[in-house]
Amino acid sequence: METNKIWFVTGASKGLGLTLVQKLLANGISVAATSRNVEDLKKAVGNDTAQFLPLATDLKSEASIQEAIEKTVAHFGRVDVIVNNAGYGLLGSVEELSDAEIRGNFEINVFGVFNVIRKAMPYLRAQRSGHILNISSIGGFMGGFPGFGAYCATKFAVNGLSESLAEEVRSFGVKVTIVEPGYFRTDFLSDSSIGLPKTEIAEYKEVRDSQNAHQNEINGKQLGNPEKAAEAMIRIVSEANPPMNLFLGSDAFAVANGKIAAVQKELEDWKSLTVSTDFEVESV
């Protein structure tokens, strides 16, 4: 475990972000952490040492993010690991969700990630090192969850931007990892972390069943241990060749393998139609 790197973690007042910050500090690692309310963040983390820099940050504001990154570098002298963790769930059918509800989800889950990366990269590029961890979801790899179309769309976007970003920054010595957790026992499925549509359509039985399952059956019984997830993220930052995709949890492992197998089968089943759309190559 490398203790000399400076971490910057968004969305750190609860959930996986909070557990990660607490684990970093417990291991003597310096971390700047952001939340909309800095007092709530301080109270949640419970650490008042110079190794912890709490920052009130609005991820919708480029100026606010710029200020947070600058304060981090001013306080610690550098920044090495960027963890884009802030985000929230949105549960509702595509038809039910309003334009404003969907755009609000993208504002934090996607554009917030873009904003942080844009403000952090000048420092990482200049020092020719760094590691960006974008917290996605198994829902960013497999979208077959009724009612999670908007949320999965945000996480698929995070996966796509991360893969492209990795190619852009590799020559600067900056690494990128997509963290794709399954269900972890945090407050992610609580009312404070998941949005519901203002207008529900009763006919969407699959969506209502999914909503009930997530809020009343899955919540509090998730297999994933947040402490172990935090330890896994800390570990890969020390790896010389970290993974592009880090799936966390046995459920995520199973879902990812199922998606890969299904795609491979479709590729083979429809190969003749797929390849038939090329221009015919004239034989010489």
Side-chain angles (χ1 to χ4, degrees):
M1 182 182 297
E2 297 184 38
T3 60
N4 62 329
K5 290 183 177 178
I6 308 300
W7 289 57
F8 180 91
V9 182
T10 68
S13 63
K14 59 184 178 180
L16 191 55
L18 173 59
T19 302
L20 175 60
V21 168
Q22 291 173 325
K23 184 70 67 174
L24 288 166
L25 293 170
N27 283 282
I29 301 172
S30 296
V31 55
T34 81
S35 180
R36 287 172 294 180
N37 187 307
V38 74
E39 293 305 320
D40 289 346
L41 176 60
K42 291 178 182 178
K43 183 178 179 180
V45 173
N47 187 303
D48 195 28
T49 67
Q51 285 186 302
F52 173 51
L53 179 64
L55 299 164
T57 308
D58 179 4
L59 294 182
K60 297 179 182 179
S61 166
E62 290 189 70
S64 180
I65 295 169
Q66 178 76 49
E67 181 181 12
I69 296 289
E70 289 177 351
K71 284 183 176 179
T72 300
V73 175
H75 185 82
F76 294 116
R78 60 186 293 123
V79 63
D80 299 287
V81 184
I82 305 296
V83 183
N84 282 301
N85 169 74
Y88 68 94
L90 183 61
L91 205 168
S93 73
V94 173
E95 183 182 354
E96 290 171 320
L97 293 170
S98 68
D99 181 76
E101 288 169 331
I102 295 170
R103 287 180 185 273
N105 206 207
F106 270 82
E107 193 73 49
I108 299 300
N109 292 12
V110 180
F111 296 116
V113 174
F114 272 111
N115 288 340
V116 172
I117 292 170
R118 279 202 302 269
K119 300 307 178 184
M121 270 308 303
Y123 296 95
L124 304 184
R125 178 164 48 83
Q127 67 196 29
R128 289 299 194 267
S129 67
H131 199 154
I132 298 171
L133 277 63
N134 289 331
I135 311 301
S136 179
S137 164
I138 187 59
F141 189 78
M142 200 282 285
F145 302 97
F148 281 93
Y151 175 75
C152 287
T154 68
K155 294 305 184 179
F156 267 74
V158 169
N159 284 25
L161 76 89
S162 300
E163 291 182 4
S164 183
L165 176 69
E167 298 303 314
E168 296 171 0
V169 303
R170 180 176 287 111
S171 63
F172 304 132
V174 178
K175 300 167 184 175
V176 178
T177 295
I178 308 165
V179 181
E180 292 147 298
Y183 291 106
F184 275 76
R185 206 168 296 180
T186 68
D187 59 0
F188 178 74
L189 295 178
S190 66
D191 292 341
S192 64
S193 298
I194 193 164
L196 299 173
K198 292 181 181 179
T199 304
E200 294 184 358
I201 301 173
E203 290 174 276
Y204 280 101
K205 182 181 183 301
E206 292 82 3
V207 175
R208 298 288 81 77
D209 289 346
S210 178
Q211 179 180 332
N212 179 65
H214 281 84
Q215 293 187 305
N216 300 316
E217 297 172 16
I218 298 173
N219 194 23
K221 300 177 184 177
Q222 300 95 323
L223 289 175
N225 184 332
E227 297 276 340
K228 293 181 179 179
E231 290 169 358
M233 286 188 279
I234 294 171
R235 174 187 163 181
I236 63 164
V237 168
S238 299
E239 295 287 336
N241 296 296
M244 166 65 73
N245 293 276
L246 177 66
F247 293 96
L248 295 178
S250 59
D251 52 355
F253 183 86
V255 169
N257 267 324
K259 169 70 178 283
I260 292 167
V263 172
Q264 287 179 327
K265 183 177 185 304
E266 284 192 336
L267 280 171
E268 290 303 317
D269 289 348
W270 295 94
K271 179 180 177 181
S272 60
L273 182 60
T274 298
V275 301
S276 72
T277 57
D278 292 351
F279 281 107
E280 293 185 10
V281 179
E282 296 182 5
S283 58
V284 178

